[in-house]
Amino acid sequence: MDLNFSPEELAFRQEVRDFIDANLPPATRQHLIEGKGPTKEMVVEWQRILNKRGWAVPEWPVEWGGPGWSAAQRYIFREELQMAPAPSPLGFNVNMCGPVVIQFGTEEQKKRFLPRMANLDDWWCQGFSEPGAGSDLAGLKTRAVREGDEWVINGQKTWTTLAQHADWIFVLARTNPTAKKQEGISFILCDMKTPGITVRPIITIEGGHEVNEVFFDNVRVPAENLVGEENKGWDCAKFLLGNERFGQARVGASRERIRRLKVIAAQTLDGGEPLMADPEFRRQMTEIEVELKALEMTVMRVIAQDMKRRDGKPNPATSVLKIKGTEIQQGVSELLMKAAGPYAWVDGDPDAEGTNQWDVAPDWAYGLAGTYFNWRKQSIYGGSNEIQRNIMAKAFLGL
Amino acid sequence: MDLNFSPEELAFRQEVRDFIDANLPPATRQHLIEGKGPTKEMVVEWQRILNKRGWAVPEWPVEWGGPGWSAAQRYIFREELQMAPAPSPLGFNVNMCGPVVIQFGTEEQKKRFLPRMANLDDWWCQGFSEPGAGSDLAGLKTRAVREGDEWVINGQKTWTTLAQHADWIFVLARTNPTAKKQEGISFILCDMKTPGITVRPIITIEGGHEVNEVFFDNVRVPAENLVGEENKGWDCAKFLLGNERFGQARVGASRERIRRLKVIAAQTLDGGEPLMADPEFRRQMTEIEVELKALEMTVMRVIAQDMKRRDGKPNPATSVLKIKGTEIQQGVSELLMKAAGPYAWVDGDPDAEGTNQWDVAPDWAYGLAGTYFNWRKQSIYGGSNEIQRNIMAKAFLGL
Amino acid sequence: MDFDLTEDQSLLVDSVRKLLSDKYGFEQRKAYMASERGWSPELWAAFADIGVLGLPFAEEDGGFGAGLTDTCLIAEQFGRSLVVEPWFSTVVIGGAALRHGGSAALRQELVPLIAAGEVRLALAQQERQSRYDLFDVATTAKKSGSGWVISGNKGMVIHGDSATHLIVSARVAGGQRDKAGIGLFVVEAGAPGVTIRGFRTVDGQRAAEIILDNAPAAHVLGDAEAGLPVLEKVAAESIAALAFEAVGCMDVAHAMTLDYMKTREQFGRPIGSFQALQHRAADMLVAIEQARSMSFYAVQAAEETDPDERRRGISAVKVQIGRASRLVGQQSIQLHGGIAMTMEYACGHYFKRLTVNDGLFGNADFHLRALADEGGLVRAA
Amino acid sequence: MDFDLTEDQSLLVDSVRKLLSDKYGFEQRKAYMASERGWSPELWAAFADIGVLGLPFAEEDGGFGAGLTDTCLIAEQFGRSLVVEPWFSTVVIGGAALRHGGSAALRQELVPLIAAGEVRLALAQQERQSRYDLFDVATTAKKSGSGWVISGNKGMVIHGDSATHLIVSARVAGGQRDKAGIGLFVVEAGAPGVTIRGFRTVDGQRAAEIILDNAPAAHVLGDAEAGLPVLEKVAAESIAALAFEAVGCMDVAHAMTLDYMKTREQFGRPIGSFQALQHRAADMLVAIEQARSMSFYAVQAAEETDPDERRRGISAVKVQIGRASRLVGQQSIQLHGGIAMTMEYACGHYFKRLTVNDGLFGNADFHLRALADEGGLVRAA
């Protein structure tokens, strides 16, 4: 047993940290420190900087531009980005569609799409969820019918994150309506400019526009845009979802938020003293820090297993990452809101200038309630935490 | 809306309090303050004192010795006993078997059994639970077969509380094995001295002997010991269980334990200061106090409804009493154990002299871990808290 | 002991309920919020008509002489409909300040105008450093001729942008955190030296930042050096009303969740048939019933005459209501899933209001600490 | 990074596992506990045979030179079987004191005897007023000729009634709660002035109260005025082993619960088919996996050389393990129902051990406060 990073891994961490310090645009970093989501421009700019360095697609094989890192290095890289904080390479491109194309796509598809994904020349989005198919993804109803050299797609997707920025969408559509639920589904790529696609914003409870409905009305895409075999799209979906072993743990991101919380709590008065002096506030914060430390070790265990044997054997630790990762993030967002007290309640566009401009309220308080509201989604999406418990009961407990 | 006790009710409370102060044997009170269960002798002595005053059977009609109190008075009486602390009149006699005999029994049964129940001349115990029928009570298997003027009973009961003290047991037995689950059950009274009855102790995890297994091996009891109609015993059982609207709320008992906790926390050092000075300890205690205050008001709501209209309409507040009442009692028992720190861990007979006799450890610490362990039962028995949630989902939520 | 409504209370609640069911659907409310003011003058007039604006004031002052319970019953109904008009700031908060601090002359001047919907009040108490301490006041009041002038910054003044009269806490004497030396002053919104910037709060209500620069006070409420006891009484009554409002919000959020659980299908069955979700819904019911019980206690506690007892009781209320609001708010979202995360669906609005409700006059954490510091509710034997 | 066992570790664990599976069934353990000593000399000899008594000591002292991880792996196995022999007090606690505080001469004298099972140690540290503060010491050590004599009362000395040698914390200088001036002394159990009264603890282990009345110390461990750093190191290593022990207990309690859920039928189906109970069991798994992760961290933290860092890390371990132990212990009882409330069923014994485990060297509440007071784990930006 060896529970530490190797000297090489520690050196790699320093290299990543130095690169970020030297290359991350300061305005982007400041924007993220303030708890705001990065703009499209910030994401694109930073991913191209990473791509130039050869770091935009850590999980991809070397032949398609991957850096050839170990699982530990990939983990370190991701954590350092989150802690900086810096935008992560766009997940839809890098962690979702890219790996599916690499695994299931034709040589031609790879050549056509992968380099543009890596450089964020195309912004991708995910067309999986539907109004009637939430936790029960395979219940989807969007239809794709083959007509000559084209697929004709009709239906509706929802919760499509950042579809408003997207150039392309990867879609799960039913291509055999008579087959069993999972068996008649295909994985198809669509140019968002194709006639018949309509994007309608969904405004979330805090007022933000992150997700969308995407309507398909006789959308015709070339037959060659099918990835993998017809009616085998569920394999792509499973591969895509199973690929994400650490995504929602976000240990680095939570650590960054806790640091922010500590800065704020040192400046904020509570009972005439800094909030940091309140034992109850400290207790709540420390409990989360402890849980986060355990989660970090849990992530390490999964990485170590991955490095040793990629046998795909399910590791119960993996199931913990989603549940605890999201609970921790939600907990920190709640503490940040509570730290701001009444001043968290100013509403408005979180990307606009702070509206507490008269110095009656602290600038940093702005938007913290919105983030708390918005982050309730974390225990819902990506397989709700209830679904995770169902999975655990089946896969690990034999119940 | 009037949320207060009337002046008459307040005067009644004072009367009860004064009576307890004047008549409760001091040794009994001290025994209970130290967190020990009352001995059989203490229970009998005190119930006879109450009976002499006409207060042993608050829920019974006046003709059978009840005091004719309102629901509010009954509540006040029960609370004052718990807070004293004093033993409550024996529930098996007074709240369980007695009301069933009053409701379903023959005149002869009433005359024969009720006065002795009230005076605790007979100690009763409850023969409901069986090894295979826990939460699913109606799944019981004990058989009673009519042979001439007798019932012949065979089977096994379990979790029979204080059967070792009992003179009589009231038994649910299956008298029609072919009928539907609830429909072939009868309610039968058995003298514990009847040949064929064997009582075997169950020692619980803290080492105490409170519950027993009771075996019936061709136990012959007179036919006249059937209460109500043959095969209608489930009505008696439902009546008995439904009768208990407040029993597990035990607001007075929890308040008494919190008082005790405060006395202890004022004497105990933690970090060189009294434990009461620790914000975290105070927080945990205060959270329970707040929940208890809400529970007290919830009890009041149920009482007020009972006083206004005994329409038997289910009140969602009732469902809260079991869940919150037991959670609070368990919470206080845990705080008491934690207050004692390592000194809670001395094992032994909790009714014996304290073994911390060298003054190395405080006397009061003795037995607190045992009570914590033992009180885990509270969320299990009387319809586990999970069963309560099932009931709520069905009865009030329509799910 | 009787927890049922009196006949008068039933009539009052029915009239409010009818008005809200006609005029306060989700889409109607959205329109009120989208208007420039952020609330509806039409509804405000209707509130005046049915008498809920003059409700808690003495009849001799021009009010309807109703008790705190009646006010709380309205708060519960307003919670059920997430009313955004400045009723709470005017009638509950401002009304309490006026009743407990105002002279007879001032009451007789203002109450008829409040009852008629012409005067609206807001309490300007919060300061940047004060957080939840009512006595932490840096804003100053200085004698000027026969009156007072006020200077300082006030934040998060609920409905401060629509008030005609501001009730301002200001320090007449002592240090910033002294309990003595605080006065409550009535400052007209249009007075010189008053600058008001309104904004929307995350729960769809309005609030304002207010800068006072030698603004003249029109009146002082009671003893100019002993305003804190009045402020504490105001907080206590407001907290009782907030408790009822929260119960109203929780009831609706829970009911919406149950409806959704009965109709939404996943894996071929209504999600309400899944036991894990049923138990969650049952836990919400437990929390709501305990909160409802505590809201009844809140009325008792707010009317307690001993200030220490009152403070303890009111803190307990805040703790219980805050805990329940959090659980019910969060779980109503979670059990719905994505749909409740959208602005177009009502459930999230209840969640947001419950979140803000918890923070008004000190959140559950604050009151738990306060109560624990004062020795809790149960006296040691 | 590698969380797998080395080949040596696997062999060690296998040999322990085999011994325990042969000799430590539930009924066998009951017999050991029922004996006069409360534990089994036969097993003690067997532990000596397979080398777990001399495990952590340096080879040059007569031990096997194993690391803390190896000790922890044994603790996990011993947790799985609820071993009641004085291994933890002798090898983990006493062993750490000897390794970190003992002179070479003392180590070479005692270690071979410990490894052979002839010497057993116990740490007499707890006092009535000290609670969880290692530095709160009223017991005194006074110079007497060339040595020391110790006077004072020590409570809850784990396995104090079977120890041949007591390691006693005593004050040489300073006030009762001063961090300096504390010495660690070895006192032979049979020395004059030593009175020992053993008793059983609620988890079926043994402990003792010990009164020292001018008892002569056979040795002093290190600097007689600077024993606290050694004591802290002892606590840190003990806490790491306790973390592994707890994980072992939790694993078994969880597995028993799952087995029961699969076989126990209610309402005509196995209770494990009820989703609400499935989710509870899943939550237990989450807690156990997080605890397991934290136990790995515990080894890192205990070996940290900077004492402040070590203290913070070890406190975090205690918090996480304590929280998990409580949840898993309580829920394993609850999901079983009544059966687990009985002495005859093993599950309750795991619950009791987990409860006591949490309290050893400070419970989760204590360490959470300590960690929070020291600024937590994450450094502010």
Side-chain angles (χ1 to χ4, degrees), chain A residues 1-4 259 262 282 286-287 289-291 294-295 298 300-301 308-309 389-390 397-398, chain D residues 1-2 4-5 262 275 279 283 289-290 292-293 296 300 316 320 323 368 372-373 375 377-379:
Chain A
M1 239 190 268
D2 176 5
L3 312 177
N4 297 301
R259 284 186 182 161
K262 293 194 173 191
R282 282 208 308 256
T286 308
E287 285 210 324
E289 291 178 64
V290 170
E291 195 80 70
L295 187 69
T298 304
M300 301 289 208
R301 288 168 56 203
K308 204 132 191 183
R309 42 175 188 269
R389 291 184 178 92
N390 286 348
L397 307 181
Chain D
M1 231 179 359
D2 184 356
D4 291 342
L5 303 192
K262 287 169 195 170
Q275 194 193 32
H279 280 205
D283 286 336
E289 290 304 325
Q290 285 281 82
R292 194 186 312 281
S293 296
F296 293 133
Q300 268 191 337
Q320 189 77 18
R323 294 277 189 267
L368 182 57
D373 287 350
L377 289 172
V378 175
R379 306 288 91 190

Side-chain angles (χ1 to χ4, degrees), chain A residues 260-321:
Chain A
R260 174 78 176 160
L261 178 61
K262 293 194 173 191
V263 170
I264 286 173
Q267 298 168 0
T268 304
L269 290 179
D270 172 63
E273 304 283 329
L275 179 56
M276 271 302 269
D278 175 31
E280 172 62 4
F281 174 80
R282 282 208 308 256
R283 179 188 71 83
Q284 294 183 17
M285 183 167 60
T286 308
E287 285 210 324
I288 294 179
E289 291 178 64
V290 170
E291 195 80 70
L292 183 64
K293 170 54 78 178
L295 187 69
E296 184 182 8
M297 295 305 289
T298 304
V299 172
M300 301 289 208
R301 288 168 56 203
V302 178
I303 293 170
Q305 192 197 33
D306 281 3
M307 290 176 70
K308 204 132 191 183
R309 42 175 188 269
R310 298 217 46 139
D311 56 5
K313 204 178 134 194
N315 182 339
T318 314
S319 315
V320 174
L321 302 182

